Amino acid sequence: MNVRLESMCQGDGKLYLLMALDRINPDAAIYLNAHLKDGTKVPAYLLLAPEQIAEEQATHVVIVPHYDVREIDLDFTEVSSENAPIGYSRLTVETGMVKWRTRINTLVRNELIAQMYDIEREYCVNRINVYFTEVIPDGEEYVVKMLADMPYHANADVMARFLDNTGHDYDLPTYPLLDEISPAERFGNEDRLHVGFSVRVSRGNKEFCVVVYDANDEIPSGFAQFSDETLEPLQESFEYNTQDAFHDPAYDEWFHRHCETLAGLALQRKRTLATDETFSIILPVFPGEEPCLQACLDALDQQTFSDFQLVVVDACLGEAGWVRTFGKWATDERTTRIHLDEGSDWATAYLNGIFQSTGTWCFLMSPRIVLCPEALFEFRRVMAFDQEKQEPQKRCQVLYSNHDTIDEQGQVSKPCFKPAYSPDYLYSFDYMGPLVAFKRDLIEQVAQTQGFASEAFVYDLEIKACARAQAVERIDQVLYHVQDPLQFGQTTQKALHLYEDDLFRGGRKAVANQMRRDHTEAVVLADFDSLRYRIRYRVPEEEPTVSVIIPTRDHVNLLRTCLTSLFEYNSYGAFEVVIVDDHSVEEETFDYYRYLQSEDPHAVRIINHEGVFSLAAMINEAARTCTSDYLMVLDNDTECICQEALTYLIGRCARKDVGVVGARLLFSDDTVQHAGILMGAYGSASNIGVNLPRTAQGYMKRLICAHNVSAVTGACQVIKREVFDQVGGYNERFMINYADVDFCLRVNKAGYRVVYDGDIEFYHHENATRGHALTPEQQIRLEKERAYLHYLWAEVFLEGDPYMSSCLDPSSPYWQLTKW
């Protein structure tokens, strides 16, 4: 047997070697042993060259990892039909040759290169195929997700081994993500087994080879090499697909395509809207802010609606400075100037401006704000429309809009597209501001009943006013820009920094005071790293009773982990566990049930579900046997990782306006699996933020902040029992999916809020329980349920998720800009 190397190239971290093997017995088999000089075995494929390979002498293709080594030895053994060796040959491959050989082949033989790269696809049916699916940057590490695809064999024992860039063992912790049987797509084909897993590698030592093999030798092994060639396109794809609007470099162009046109502005100047509402803009001016004023005043001068009062509260300008800075505004009849004593604070300035203004609406401005030309007209449009409703008891009393940041060159960036009114989000940080409009009569109500705070005045007023308002509305447009402080001198930057620092410190007190006004026992913590507030709600001394409902079928190891973590991380005393068993058959499962009921100190009940598999039916069945104050629905493949999670979830759900609370769920590799559910994503409803790193804050801190959402997953829900009964429990028409979404939408419709709490975390080992992909019949059922969800909630899909802006892509759960 003779062996010759005809050609070679590299790609995706592999070496492709085009070989000519001649003088071979027609009945013989060829075996390949690839190894390094020290004897270390190298994973390799030996594949017959298809006829289309454009090389007459080539008979085989060898594929090996592209290690950082000088040489790889290839030992070919010819074996007879009686399994006796009849020939042997060795070829040493110098890996340093591959770069220039690849360049030459790319220039003159690119068709051959493409054929060699494609050869693995020709032989993928009968072996294990390994694919890198995602690369997620996370600090100093990458999370690398992989999928192994192979023919299904009942006796297979699939294992993974990792090698470093020199071919030696590399100890990487493996996180299982998926293990399912995919039914054959066509009659006569075999079922496929899909095994998903991930690893974490450091940025400085990221290259590795993964070998996936069957320990029982039922299926030929497969390998893949992770290198820069693999990393770069996957990382670019991940960043492109998950890049939120705040970081999108195309936002400036997007804004100019979506803002009002010149013709539209001209029409607004001619148009009269039927409303008796009047505007007062309250503008305090403190030392250090004078450089911001020119752009602010120029924007006021360009408003298409110009019938407003400008109340300037002057704390620093003096007469000469007043005339020089305000120019024609100093003599404009719309301008009211109020002198403020030196040393006065922002609260005093705003209050002086409010009570000496005459408008029915007060806009609390700052010199950094630059209004878009259509801003006041759009505010007035909402007020006119609101007045036409003829429902005085439901009229808007607080108005806010989206905004962005503008630099010295007029470039806009960092858009803040805000959700509809979300009290839990407002208690996390001032997402409404910095420009908010209040109805005067509402401010007067606050003054008479609660008074005003000297710290974080505007934020405090937002919280108090929203709690009393008949309606709080959002204008889902970018109506103003906030000037970037970096364009000003150090004096102005320092003044703005001190002001914002004082606002954040005072904001914690504003939230804590609101908790006391609501008679809510809670501790409000200020997180200075993320500039948000964390609320730890307390449950009453006499703890409300809780039933934790866990549907399950066998997989006792998952159930044991779920219950053990629940007991270890929670000292909550007044809860029982209700296990709903769906036709388990393994004796180990029943042994564990007997242990729980006889030896475990916690109250555990077992209910046998007799009908067909339906999570909705199982949850309803368990709920009918419970008399507790709260229900907690929990998947058996979840794992609590947050101390006193149950206490905090119950405490938040105990608020009178809340019906359901959900937690942040993570895959075992510490990437996000669930951060609330977005209506409309992927054509129906989808988890928000999937695969983002645990350390990510998300768009406008949405991953970490508690906020209101349309729905949270049924994998982890805490539900107020009276609300569960009021809306009729889960809809059993949904057997496979969407029952949790439909339930939460009905809770919202009943007037209660659904809350996502990003500080409470569980692992969700998703797909570990079911273990099988959907059959064609189940897929049909799923599509019917998707259609049924659209039928029941057509208005939600038509109007869009209220907790997502219409400026964001409704099909993406990553807060991306709408398409052009």
Side-chain angles (χ1 to χ4, degrees), residues 355-376:
F355 292 120
Q356 295 189 53
S357 63
T358 58
T360 58
W361 280 84
C362 294
F363 288 74
L364 304 190
M365 285 266 288
S366 81
R368 287 181 65 192
I369 292 175
V370 178
L371 294 177
C372 297
E374 67 270 25
L376 296 185

mmCIF file of all heavy atoms in Angstrom, residues 355-376:
data_model
loop_
_atom_site.group_PDB
_atom_site.id
_atom_site.type_symbol
_atom_site.label_atom_id
_atom_site.label_comp_id
_atom_site.label_asym_id
_atom_site.label_seq_id
_atom_site.Cartn_x
_atom_site.Cartn_y
_atom_site.Cartn_z
ATOM 1 N N PHE A 355 -45.789 76.639 41.400
ATOM 2 C CA PHE A 355 -46.858 77.419 42.026
ATOM 3 C C PHE A 355 -46.953 78.852 41.498
ATOM 4 O O PHE A 355 -47.909 79.556 41.801
ATOM 5 C CB PHE A 355 -46.692 77.399 43.548
ATOM 6 C CG PHE A 355 -46.952 76.024 44.134
ATOM 7 C CD1 PHE A 355 -45.973 75.352 44.842
ATOM 8 C CD2 PHE A 355 -48.172 75.400 43.938
ATOM 9 C CE1 PHE A 355 -46.208 74.097 45.363
ATOM 10 C CE2 PHE A 355 -48.419 74.146 44.463
ATOM 11 C CZ PHE A 355 -47.432 73.480 45.177
ATOM 12 N N GLN A 356 -45.966 79.260 40.702
ATOM 13 C CA GLN A 356 -46.093 80.564 40.049
ATOM 14 C C GLN A 356 -46.380 80.421 38.554
ATOM 15 O O GLN A 356 -46.349 81.392 37.811
ATOM 16 C CB GLN A 356 -44.827 81.396 40.273
ATOM 17 C CG GLN A 356 -44.607 81.749 41.741
ATOM 18 C CD GLN A 356 -43.484 82.748 41.930
ATOM 19 O OE1 GLN A 356 -43.485 83.814 41.312
ATOM 20 N NE2 GLN A 356 -42.533 82.412 42.796
ATOM 21 N N SER A 357 -46.652 79.195 38.130
ATOM 22 C CA SER A 357 -47.022 78.954 36.731
ATOM 23 C C SER A 357 -48.550 78.976 36.615
ATOM 24 O O SER A 357 -49.269 78.919 37.613
ATOM 25 C CB SER A 357 -46.470 77.612 36.256
ATOM 26 O OG SER A 357 -47.049 76.541 36.993
ATOM 27 N N THR A 358 -49.036 79.043 35.378
ATOM 28 C CA THR A 358 -50.487 79.169 35.162
ATOM 29 C C THR A 358 -51.064 78.031 34.327
ATOM 30 O O THR A 358 -52.282 77.931 34.189
ATOM 31 C CB THR A 358 -50.786 80.488 34.429
ATOM 32 O OG1 THR A 358 -50.071 80.517 33.176
ATOM 33 C CG2 THR A 358 -50.364 81.686 35.274
ATOM 34 N N GLY A 359 -50.250 77.170 33.753
ATOM 35 C CA GLY A 359 -50.744 76.117 32.868
ATOM 36 C C GLY A 359 -51.471 75.015 33.615
ATOM 37 O O GLY A 359 -51.249 74.787 34.814
ATOM 38 N N THR A 360 -52.343 74.330 32.893
ATOM 39 C CA THR A 360 -53.021 73.161 33.481
ATOM 40 C C THR A 360 -52.103 71.951 33.522
ATOM 41 O O THR A 360 -52.377 70.984 34.219
ATOM 42 C CB THR A 360 -54.284 72.809 32.683
ATOM 43 O OG1 THR A 360 -53.927 72.543 31.319
ATOM 44 C CG2 THR A 360 -55.300 73.946 32.735
ATOM 45 N N TRP A 361 -51.010 72.017 32.732
ATOM 46 C CA TRP A 361 -49.985 70.972 32.757
ATOM 47 C C TRP A 361 -48.634 71.613 33.053
ATOM 48 O O TRP A 361 -48.323 72.691 32.550
ATOM 49 C CB TRP A 361 -49.895 70.258 31.409
ATOM 50 C CG TRP A 361 -50.959 69.216 31.195
ATOM 51 C CD1 TRP A 361 -52.227 69.428 30.743
ATOM 52 C CD2 TRP A 361 -50.845 67.814 31.441
ATOM 53 N NE1 TRP A 361 -52.910 68.247 30.683
ATOM 54 C CE2 TRP A 361 -52.088 67.230 31.095
ATOM 55 C CE3 TRP A 361 -49.813 66.988 31.893
ATOM 56 C CZ2 TRP A 361 -52.335 65.865 31.202
ATOM 57 C CZ3 TRP A 361 -50.050 65.621 31.996
ATOM 58 C CH2 TRP A 361 -51.292 65.073 31.661
ATOM 59 N N CYS A 362 -47.841 70.921 33.874
ATOM 60 C CA CYS A 362 -46.496 71.384 34.210
ATOM 61 C C CYS A 362 -45.466 70.402 33.669
ATOM 62 O O CYS A 362 -45.490 69.212 34.004
ATOM 63 C CB CYS A 362 -46.322 71.523 35.719
ATOM 64 S SG CYS A 362 -47.348 72.801 36.463
ATOM 65 N N PHE A 363 -44.559 70.931 32.824
ATOM 66 C CA PHE A 363 -43.452 70.127 32.304
ATOM 67 C C PHE A 363 -42.212 70.453 33.123
ATOM 68 O O PHE A 363 -41.758 71.600 33.118
ATOM 69 C CB PHE A 363 -43.194 70.461 30.836
ATOM 70 C CG PHE A 363 -44.238 69.962 29.885
ATOM 71 C CD1 PHE A 363 -45.479 70.573 29.816
ATOM 72 C CD2 PHE A 363 -43.985 68.885 29.058
ATOM 73 C CE1 PHE A 363 -46.445 70.124 28.939
ATOM 74 C CE2 PHE A 363 -44.943 68.429 28.176
ATOM 75 C CZ PHE A 363 -46.178 69.039 28.115
ATOM 76 N N LEU A 364 -41.673 69.469 33.808
ATOM 77 C CA LEU A 364 -40.498 69.699 34.644
ATOM 78 C C LEU A 364 -39.250 69.430 33.806
ATOM 79 O O LEU A 364 -38.876 68.288 33.541
ATOM 80 C CB LEU A 364 -40.541 68.815 35.886
ATOM 81 C CG LEU A 364 -41.808 68.972 36.753
ATOM 82 C CD1 LEU A 364 -41.643 68.235 38.071
ATOM 83 C CD2 LEU A 364 -42.126 70.448 37.003
ATOM 84 N N MET A 365 -38.613 70.502 33.368
ATOM 85 C CA MET A 365 -37.470 70.456 32.449
ATOM 86 C C MET A 365 -36.157 70.634 33.202
ATOM 87 O O MET A 365 -36.137 70.983 34.379
ATOM 88 C CB MET A 365 -37.594 71.575 31.409
ATOM 89 C CG MET A 365 -38.607 71.334 30.332
ATOM 90 S SD MET A 365 -37.876 70.598 28.873
ATOM 91 C CE MET A 365 -36.956 71.987 28.195
ATOM 92 N N SER A 366 -35.067 70.418 32.472
ATOM 93 C CA SER A 366 -33.733 70.818 32.932
ATOM 94 C C SER A 366 -32.993 71.377 31.729
ATOM 95 O O SER A 366 -33.364 71.085 30.584
ATOM 96 C CB SER A 366 -32.985 69.612 33.523
ATOM 97 O OG SER A 366 -32.415 68.825 32.506
ATOM 98 N N PRO A 367 -31.959 72.178 31.935
ATOM 99 C CA PRO A 367 -31.247 72.785 30.801
ATOM 100 C C PRO A 367 -30.624 71.777 29.839
ATOM 101 O O PRO A 367 -30.311 72.120 28.699
ATOM 102 C CB PRO A 367 -30.169 73.632 31.477
ATOM 103 C CG PRO A 367 -30.740 73.959 32.821
ATOM 104 C CD PRO A 367 -31.493 72.724 33.225
ATOM 105 N N ARG A 368 -30.433 70.535 30.268
ATOM 106 C CA ARG A 368 -29.830 69.527 29.389
ATOM 107 C C ARG A 368 -30.801 69.011 28.336
ATOM 108 O O ARG A 368 -30.392 68.368 27.364
ATOM 109 C CB ARG A 368 -29.328 68.343 30.223
ATOM 110 C CG ARG A 368 -28.081 68.611 31.031
ATOM 111 C CD ARG A 368 -27.667 67.367 31.789
ATOM 112 N NE ARG A 368 -27.272 66.293 30.881
ATOM 113 C CZ ARG A 368 -27.093 65.028 31.273
ATOM 114 N NH1 ARG A 368 -27.284 64.695 32.549
ATOM 115 N NH2 ARG A 368 -26.731 64.107 30.402
ATOM 116 N N ILE A 369 -32.088 69.284 28.489
ATOM 117 C CA ILE A 369 -33.090 68.702 27.606
ATOM 118 C C ILE A 369 -33.267 69.549 26.351
ATOM 119 O O ILE A 369 -33.454 70.768 26.433
ATOM 120 C CB ILE A 369 -34.430 68.539 28.347
ATOM 121 C CG1 ILE A 369 -34.293 67.474 29.441
ATOM 122 C CG2 ILE A 369 -35.554 68.185 27.387
ATOM 123 C CD1 ILE A 369 -35.502 67.316 30.318
ATOM 124 N N VAL A 370 -33.209 68.886 25.215
ATOM 125 C CA VAL A 370 -33.418 69.533 23.914
ATOM 126 C C VAL A 370 -34.658 68.894 23.282
ATOM 127 O O VAL A 370 -34.625 67.739 22.868
ATOM 128 C CB VAL A 370 -32.196 69.346 22.992
ATOM 129 C CG1 VAL A 370 -32.449 69.985 21.630
ATOM 130 C CG2 VAL A 370 -30.946 69.911 23.644
ATOM 131 N N LEU A 371 -35.739 69.647 23.234
ATOM 132 C CA LEU A 371 -36.984 69.101 22.696
ATOM 133 C C LEU A 371 -36.911 68.963 21.178
ATOM 134 O O LEU A 371 -36.364 69.833 20.490
ATOM 135 C CB LEU A 371 -38.155 70.008 23.054
ATOM 136 C CG LEU A 371 -38.536 70.134 24.527
ATOM 137 C CD1 LEU A 371 -39.669 71.138 24.694
ATOM 138 C CD2 LEU A 371 -38.943 68.785 25.100
ATOM 139 N N CYS A 372 -37.481 67.878 20.662
ATOM 140 C CA CYS A 372 -37.669 67.769 19.219
ATOM 141 C C CYS A 372 -38.726 68.793 18.804
ATOM 142 O O CYS A 372 -39.613 69.135 19.604
ATOM 143 C CB CYS A 372 -38.123 66.363 18.844
ATOM 144 S SG CYS A 372 -36.915 65.087 19.236
ATOM 145 N N PRO A 373 -38.698 69.305 17.568
ATOM 146 C CA PRO A 373 -39.652 70.356 17.167
ATOM 147 C C PRO A 373 -41.110 69.967 17.364
ATOM 148 O O PRO A 373 -41.947 70.812 17.647
ATOM 149 C CB PRO A 373 -39.331 70.580 15.688
ATOM 150 C CG PRO A 373 -37.914 70.133 15.537
ATOM 151 C CD PRO A 373 -37.739 69.004 16.496
ATOM 152 N N GLU A 374 -41.432 68.682 17.229
ATOM 153 C CA GLU A 374 -42.833 68.248 17.336
ATOM 154 C C GLU A 374 -43.239 67.865 18.757
ATOM 155 O O GLU A 374 -44.383 67.466 18.991
ATOM 156 C CB GLU A 374 -43.066 67.041 16.415
ATOM 157 C CG GLU A 374 -42.337 65.748 16.812
ATOM 158 C CD GLU A 374 -40.961 65.612 16.215
ATOM 159 O OE1 GLU A 374 -40.340 66.648 15.894
ATOM 160 O OE2 GLU A 374 -40.484 64.464 16.068
ATOM 161 N N ALA A 375 -42.339 68.002 19.746
ATOM 162 C CA ALA A 375 -42.573 67.458 21.073
ATOM 163 C C ALA A 375 -43.861 67.985 21.720
ATOM 164 O O ALA A 375 -44.742 67.216 22.110
ATOM 165 C CB ALA A 375 -41.372 67.747 21.976
ATOM 166 N N LEU A 376 -43.973 69.305 21.872
ATOM 167 C CA LEU A 376 -45.138 69.854 22.567
ATOM 168 C C LEU A 376 -46.422 69.591 21.789
ATOM 169 O O LEU A 376 -47.488 69.381 22.397
ATOM 170 C CB LEU A 376 -44.950 71.352 22.809
ATOM 171 C CG LEU A 376 -43.783 71.724 23.740
ATOM 172 C CD1 LEU A 376 -43.775 73.232 23.986
ATOM 173 C CD2 LEU A 376 -43.871 70.982 25.068
#
